[in-house]
Amino acid sequence: MVTANPATNAVTTTNIPRFRRGFRFQWEPAQNGHVLLYPEGMVKLNESAGAILAEIDGQRCVRDIVAVLEAAFPQADALESDVIEFLEHARQQHWIELS
Amino acid sequence: MTALASSLTEQKQASVSPPLWLLAELTYRCPLQCPYCSNPLNFAQTTSELTTEEWASVLRQGRETGAAQLGFSGGEPLVRQDLGELIAEARHLGYYSNLITSGLGLTKAKVDDFAQAGLDHIQVSFQSSDPDLNNAVAGSRKAFAQKLAMARAVKDAGYPMVLNFVIHRHNIHQMNDIVALCERLGADYVELATCQYYGWAFRNREGLMPSRAQLEKAEYEVNQNRARLLDEGSAMKLIFVTPDYYEERPKPCMNGWGSLFLTVAPDGTALPCHSARLLPIEFPNVRDKDLKHIWYESPGFNHYRGNSWMPEPCRSCDEKEKDFGGCRCQAFLLTGNADNADPVCSKSPHHDRILAARQAAECATASIEDLTYRNDSNSRMFFRG
Ligand code: SF4
Ligand code: SF4
């Protein structure tokens, strides 16, 4: 499977992220946190990672996701660069895909 | 329960984390005969499999105890006619469910039905990238064609695709071909798992274990392929499980005894790992006790938790938090006492057994036909005695 070169395809505000097929994001009571489940594996997410991934619905672009998060966490400063940085990490891990 | 007893229970539970993984070995029945199968040698003695209702209850209890990942394996889980029902139950409970199959008994219709029922992932195992070698190792003439067809069906249905190859001295030269085959099939993950020597693989170790030169060449080829895939921006991931027989320190087996994994065997025996059955320890059965009790309270699961059970050299070793003294099954198989340090460790007084196995691998001549195949009639020999 060949996707675009990771070095030249970084996340921008107009991208629409969605979870890669086979990746399931959910709340796990036993872990008291959000997790990402994938074939034979699981990542436990910290609170901010969980909050960002919870907004991915395959419809909204990064800019909209940032706006939702900024409204939900008004005490935080501008979130755009943090969100993009995390989504870039998620993309490099092949957790999410962009369109 | 007295207040003291219940507060002790709570304390114990606090130090033991919940299981993350439930492996449901639905059956030991399988149409293939892989000579490295990890099932117990005497598997044919198991006749009383859990019923559909019993499995459904095990799944419920596992989820309540905290498990998020569920594996359906065996044997060949497709032999069970109730697999679809159990998949639906697993989805309903919120598991991420993995079907670990040889591909035999699978059809395109089942692949689609299971997706509908909520199965998350299907792992198809291959014996080789070459049809003849594949079929010789599997002990079945039609295995390879069926596996190819099913790998394609899995891909077409949109599942993430994990292909698994058990690697041994007869196919370890095929790394490049295997990777190329997986790329053609569009795999997301490729597991190149060198044999772990338990069950049938221990019995056949001399005929399976690669030489050091074979291993080094394979490692080099895997690394080359990895670098190329990264360069091409491919999401296909190669997972190479190297044989611990060539290490000087043991693996942290199962991430620690009773720390993440819970296996339920076809007859309901609950185990901290799928090969632990060979240990001279009494393990609980889900027909007698609920899973929460089994995980936190049973002597079998508590047997090797922590490190107060360790003899020397592990007891005074500063690496014991890292590897937990290695694998209990390997210690038992190679030294006769499961408490001992895993002989893979160069500090183990039994490390010479590993060195002898490496030596034997340098001059092994056995062909595939010389291996003991995993089938009912060979299995019966192991309990008739
Ligand atoms: S390893 Fe081979 S023989 Fe054993 S259960 Fe799997 S497919 Fe069947
Ligand atoms: S002596 Fe025991 S604890 Fe120390 S490295 Fe060896 S196996 Fe691990």
Side-chain angles (χ1 to χ4, degrees), chain B residues 115-136:
Chain B
Q116 278 277 312
L119 181 65
D120 292 287
H121 149 236
I122 300 181
Q123 176 196 296
V124 182
S125 65
F126 280 76
Q127 280 71 16
S128 164
S129 51
D130 168 76
D132 293 332
L133 181 57
N134 186 94
N135 295 346

Side-chain angles (χ1 to χ4, degrees), chain A residues 20-43:
Chain A
R20 181 168 164 211
R21 179 76 200 239
F23 283 68
R24 187 168 356 125
F25 171 79
Q26 69 184 29
W27 174 263
E28 277 295 298
Q31 305 296 327
N32 193 27
H34 282 107
V35 300
L36 192 61
L37 294 155
Y38 53 91
E40 295 171 46
M42 180 177 104
V43 213

Side-chain angles (χ1 to χ4, degrees), chain B residues 248-250 310-326 328 340-348:
Chain B
E248 300 303 316
R249 286 290 177 274
M310 285 180 179
E312 294 295 348
C314 299
R315 177 180 289 270
S316 54
C317 177
D318 59 5
E319 294 176 68
K320 61 175 178 273
E321 302 293 337
K322 217 161 66 193
D323 62 33
F324 319 110
R328 297 306 90 223
N340 283 332
D342 185 332
V344 161
C345 183
S346 61
K347 299 184 194 176
S348 155

Side-chain angles (χ1 to χ4, degrees), chain B residues 322-345:
Chain B
K322 217 161 66 193
D323 62 33
F324 319 110
C327 171
R328 297 306 90 223
C329 299
Q330 197 142 278
F332 179 71
L333 285 170
L334 293 173
T335 77
N337 181 352
D339 297 357
N340 283 332
D342 185 332
V344 161
C345 183

Side-chain angles (χ1 to χ4, degrees), chain A residues 1-6 20-24 26-31 37-42 44 94, chain B residues 20-21 63 66 68-69 91 94-96 98 120-121 123 157-158 160 162 188-189 191 232-235:
Chain A
M1 183 169 40
V2 178
T3 54
N5 188 330
R20 181 168 164 211
R21 179 76 200 239
F23 283 68
R24 187 168 356 125
Q26 69 184 29
W27 174 263
E28 277 295 298
Q31 305 296 327
L37 294 155
Y38 53 91
E40 295 171 46
M42 180 177 104
K44 277 190 230 179
H94 300 286
Chain B
L20 283 183
W21 249 104
R63 189 74 186 126
Q69 284 281 352
R91 182 70 196 92
Y95 279 108
Y96 190 96
N98 308 271
D120 292 287
H121 149 236
Q123 176 196 296
V162 181
D188 297 290
Y189 304 83
E191 287 180 8
E232 293 170 1
S234 165

Side-chain angles (χ1 to χ4, degrees), chain B residues 279-323:
Chain B
L279 297 172
I281 290 176
E282 203 172 318
F283 288 108
N285 192 296
V286 299
R287 283 177 165 142
D288 308 321
K289 294 278 187 224
D290 69 77
L291 273 190
K292 196 171 242 143
H293 177 96
I294 285 173
W295 181 256
Y296 290 104
E297 302 298 325
S298 71
F301 275 77
N302 281 318
H303 202 101
Y304 290 118
R305 281 195 174 124
N307 49 32
S308 57
W309 54 270
M310 285 180 179
E312 294 295 348
C314 299
R315 177 180 289 270
S316 54
C317 177
D318 59 5
E319 294 176 68
K320 61 175 178 273
E321 302 293 337
K322 217 161 66 193
D323 62 33

Side-chain angles (χ1 to χ4, degrees), chain B residues 96-116:
Chain B
Y96 190 96
S97 55
N98 308 271
L99 172 61
I100 298 157
T101 176
S102 69
L104 273 84
L106 201 55
T107 59
K108 210 169 159 26
K110 280 190 188 168
V111 168
D112 294 338
D113 288 352
F114 292 164
Q116 278 277 312

